[in-house]
Amino acid sequence: MRQKLVVGNWKMHGCSADNRRLLQALVSGLPAAGNTAVAVCVPFPYLAQAQSLLAATPVSWGAQSLSEHAQGAYTGEVSAAMLADFGCRYAIVGHSERRAMYGETDAQVAAKFVAAKVAGITPILCVGETLAQRESDETLAVVTAQLDAVLDVAGVAAFAGGVVAYEPVWAIGTGLTATPAQAQAVHAAIRARIAARDTAVAAGLQILYGGSVKAQNAGEIFAQADIDGGLVGGASLVVDEFLAICQAANR
Ligand code: PEP
């Protein structure tokens, strides 16, 4: 059975004092045992704080993006090696906010995925369709094209022990959520796409759902066969809500 994974994406929120309170409450509220791994992806300036507060705990930490370049004259960018230096286990790549607001292309997302892998960091590859694409029945075409763009560059072996997050753009931060059946259909298609290249890699792949996951809807979403946990934005900033989501994954 695949382990469940719940990842908090703090986006551009937080300050040292609030982060400390949140992380301490998260660590002390998590159940001692269970089949769910938990991680938080924090803004770059707080990676050192996450590392010092979480190092001796079961909670992992990561970044929300990274540069596709190893080093050099890339003002404002942060490399995978720098993230590894701060103990990051994960890096989100291709979040729809990065694609839409910062023009990240499929080629860049693939290069970031590879850069993370080279540094020993697990990329969390985000894919998902807009509302217009869903309404014109393009969901699976869009999602598989985003996936193929990375598979073609990184190779299927790079997805071994990997994480993909299906995040319908129309559900992120909107309060709208894909129904469990809608999400399951896309998750199954993602797994089948990987299985066409390597069945063992597909069987081990953790596919997270993201898009307005809350304590109240997490249980039925996580109960789907191909949904292995969640990528959680807003609700990851409210500790009781996030803990309840982790609990729902544990069932
Ligand atoms: C996200 O940040 O990836 C996300 C899914 O946000 P939210 O849970 O707030 O919709």
Side-chain angles (χ1 to χ4, degrees):
M1 194 172 113
R2 284 182 300 276
Q3 190 186 40
K4 289 271 201 289
L5 171 64
V6 177
V7 180
N9 173 15
W10 288 5
K11 312 196 190 203
M12 199 172 73
H13 294 290
C15 65
S16 304
D18 288 353
N19 300 348
R20 174 175 293 276
R21 274 192 291 275
L22 198 157
L23 291 177
Q24 285 173 341
L26 174 62
V27 168
S28 59
L30 279 176
N35 187 35
T36 302
V38 176
V40 288
C41 289
V42 306
F44 293 134
Y46 300 123
L47 285 172
Q49 185 188 30
Q51 183 177 33
S52 80
L53 290 172
L54 299 176
T57 79
V59 179
S60 305
W61 60 96
Q64 299 168 16
S65 186
L66 78 164
S67 173
E68 63 270 43
H69 303 291
Q71 63 175 348
Y74 302 103
T75 301
E77 291 292 282
V78 174
S79 73
M82 292 170 187
L83 300 185
D85 216 6
F86 284 90
C88 285
R89 168 138 188 210
Y90 297 104
I92 297 173
V93 300
H95 192 282
S96 63
E97 288 158 12
R98 305 277 332 160
R99 293 179 192 259
M101 291 190 246
Y102 302 99
E104 283 188 11
T105 62
D106 278 345
Q108 252 178 313
V109 172
K112 286 172 188 248
F113 184 100
V114 171
K117 290 291 295 184
V118 167
I121 292 168
T122 301
I124 299 173
L125 170 64
C126 297
V127 296
E129 82 289 0
T130 62
L131 187 57
Q133 288 164 336
R134 174 162 283 271
E135 285 174 348
S136 53
D137 217 9
E138 291 174 77
T139 298
L140 294 186
V142 168
V143 166
T144 52
Q146 289 172 336
L147 194 59
D148 286 355
V150 179
L151 277 167
D152 290 346
V153 170
V156 70
F159 284 74
V163 184
V164 171
Y166 167 55
E167 298 210 305
V169 177
W170 49 271
I172 298 177
T174 58
L176 300 172
T177 316
T179 65
Q182 282 174 326
Q184 165 58 24
V186 180
H187 282 232
I190 291 170
R191 201 178 302 286
R193 195 76 179 177
I194 304 272
R197 301 197 190 207
D198 190 313
T199 50
V201 170
L205 185 72
Q206 287 175 309
I207 310 178
L208 312 183
Y209 169 79
S212 299
V213 174
K214 304 269 181 290
Q216 161 262 323
N217 60 24
E220 56 173 356
I221 294 172
F222 297 165
Q224 303 299 307
D226 288 292
I227 301 186
D228 305 309
L231 180 55
V232 182
S236 70
L237 298 166
V238 183
V239 75
D240 288 344
E241 190 76 13
F242 193 56
L243 280 169
I245 292 168
C246 296
Q247 204 91 49
N250 234 349
R251 276 187 215 117

